[in-house]
Amino acid sequence: MPRPLQIGLLLFPDCMPAGLLGFADLLHAANRRTGKTLFQTHFVGVQAGAVTCNQGLVMQASHAVNALALDAILVPGFWAESTHDVETTLQSNATLVAALSRLPARCRIWSYCVGVSLVAATGRLDRQPATATWWLLDALIKQHPKVRWQSDSTCIFGAGNATASGVNGYLPIAQALIEQSVSPAILHELVTLMVLPRPTQTHDAFRAISLIQQPSPLLRQLHMAVEALPAEQIILSRLAEALCTSERTLARRVKKETGTAAASYVRRIKLAQAAERLTLTTVPLSTISTDLGFSSDSNLRRMFKELTQLTPAQYRQRFARY
């Protein structure tokens, strides 16, 4: 029987460990399903001992990252709301970056969310395709021009590496590992039994438009204001008043931060609400139109098709998650 794949789950100060735990659970389920120990996971850190993760959760690293003969290591994300936050975390984890740099070439490094920035800093992604959380990509492209960054992909497997975007980026990495190391059929069983979400497909028009992904406080406030108002009542002057700024300042800042005219950006936020209901529910378009305050079904249908090149019915058929 082949020896189990030895996988390190990396802990470091302020990391977000939920994905590490989810990843470990999936591999444990694969072991149980096959009746074999195919995967062994180990929590590792710069050194063995207690590590204070995000929100004060203390976890134990059983080994130092360079103390085990690892076949792969999973690098999670950490809480960051700006590129400055990322740079600060990288500086404070210089010792960790150095430890990752010393891993042998045979040890695969998988990373997701902003954790990709830690791996990029080691040079392990140079001359390889990679992806990361969308709002960080521009900074990563400038800082690491040797990496072949691909903004249109949410998960990429390269030579000895894997990168994924978003806080749930561990999921496609785990699923690909199980599919390749065990079988597609068993992966399908685990996805069904563990009630894992269907892979989320997102239309380009709504990529990176969700509220939680907005790094700017202004954009987060704008999103909440737009989502709370009926569509036909959304005008820039009213939004500016709600955000305690002038209409001119709001338009200027939205254009600067998104590259899109404020009116178009606001319209996209509201249509994203409609898109979400189309993909998550089976309620008729007329109900969605009324609930979101559009003047008519035909008006919503027209604006939706102008933005996505799809009718709401076509969009639901392609992207539905139920």
Side-chain angles (χ1 to χ4, degrees):
M1 177 178 173
R3 80 175 178 88
L5 201 66
Q6 303 297 315
I7 301 174
L9 306 175
L10 185 64
L11 298 172
F12 55 90
D14 292 324
C15 72
M16 300 171 68
L20 300 180
L21 296 169
F23 187 89
D25 283 343
L26 278 166
L27 299 193
H28 176 68
N31 287 341
R32 295 272 301 194
R33 171 60 182 79
T34 60
K36 303 174 183 178
T37 304
L38 302 175
F39 310 103
Q40 285 186 337
T41 57
H42 312 270
F43 284 101
V44 299
V46 172
Q47 58 188 16
V51 179
T52 303
C53 305
N54 186 249
Q55 298 193 46
L57 177 65
V58 178
M59 298 185 66
Q60 294 290 325
S62 60
H63 296 83
V65 66
N66 298 117
L68 292 174
L70 296 173
D71 296 298
I73 187 168
L74 181 65
V75 181
F78 50 89
W79 189 268
E81 297 186 15
S82 66
T83 54
H84 175 72
D85 291 345
V86 174
E87 291 167 4
T88 299
T89 298
L90 285 173
Q91 291 170 7
S92 63
N93 283 283
T95 303
L96 172 60
V97 172
L100 293 174
S101 300
R102 292 194 296 271
L103 287 171
R106 63 173 179 76
C107 179
R108 288 168 280 176
I109 301 183
W110 304 321
S111 56
Y112 61 95
C113 199
V114 291
V116 175
S117 63
L118 289 164
V119 183
T122 70
R124 282 285 296 258
L125 300 179
D126 288 356
R127 293 174 294 281
Q128 293 193 45
T131 191
T133 295
W134 72 271
W135 60 263
L136 185 58
L137 272 171
D138 284 346
L140 289 175
I141 290 169
K142 294 176 183 177
Q143 293 168 0
H144 306 286
K146 293 182 180 179
V147 181
R148 302 204 304 272
W149 298 106
Q150 297 183 9
S151 60
D152 57 345
S153 299
T154 57
C155 187
I156 295 175
F157 287 82
N161 299 292
T163 54
S165 62
V167 294
N168 291 323
Y170 73 91
L171 186 55
I173 296 174
Q175 291 178 329
L177 175 62
I178 294 170
E179 183 176 38
Q180 294 166 11
S181 302
V182 188
S183 75
I186 287 180
L187 171 62
H188 179 73
E189 286 184 34
L190 296 180
V191 167
T192 302
L193 292 172
M194 298 181 75
V195 201
L196 296 175
R198 291 176 59 180
T200 301
Q201 293 179 294
T202 304
H203 192 283
D204 288 345
F206 304 119
R207 190 180 298 277
I209 200 74
S210 70
L211 173 60
I212 198 170
Q213 289 180 308
Q214 305 311 313
S216 159
L218 172 73
L219 292 183
R220 289 199 292 271
Q221 293 170 10
L222 178 62
H223 273 246
M224 288 187 287
V226 171
E227 291 177 352
L229 285 172
E232 292 305 307
Q233 296 181 25
I234 296 174
I235 55 176
L236 284 185
S237 59
R238 184 166 183 174
L239 292 170
E241 183 180 356
L243 271 59
C244 300
T245 187
S246 69
E247 183 177 347
R248 182 176 180 181
T249 298
L250 177 61
R252 176 179 56 79
R253 290 189 59 185
V254 170
K255 177 67 174 179
K256 180 180 179 180
E257 295 189 30
T258 69
T260 304
S264 297
Y265 188 77
V266 164
R267 187 181 309 114
R268 186 169 301 198
I269 295 171
K270 203 65 188 177
L271 290 173
Q273 273 188 291
E276 184 176 51
R277 298 193 186 196
L278 287 168
T279 59
L280 294 177
T281 75
T282 59
V283 300
L285 184 67
S286 59
T287 301
I288 295 174
S289 176
T290 300
D291 288 349
L292 297 182
F294 286 89
S295 60
S296 65
D297 302 357
S298 59
N299 190 32
L300 170 56
R301 189 177 292 107
R302 175 184 57 78
M303 289 193 291
F304 199 90
K305 187 168 184 180
E306 284 178 358
L307 180 63
T308 67
Q309 311 307 310
L310 297 169
T311 66
Q314 291 169 330
Y315 188 92
R316 172 172 269 165
Q317 183 176 26
R318 182 176 299 185
F319 297 105
R321 287 177 249 167
Y322 47 81

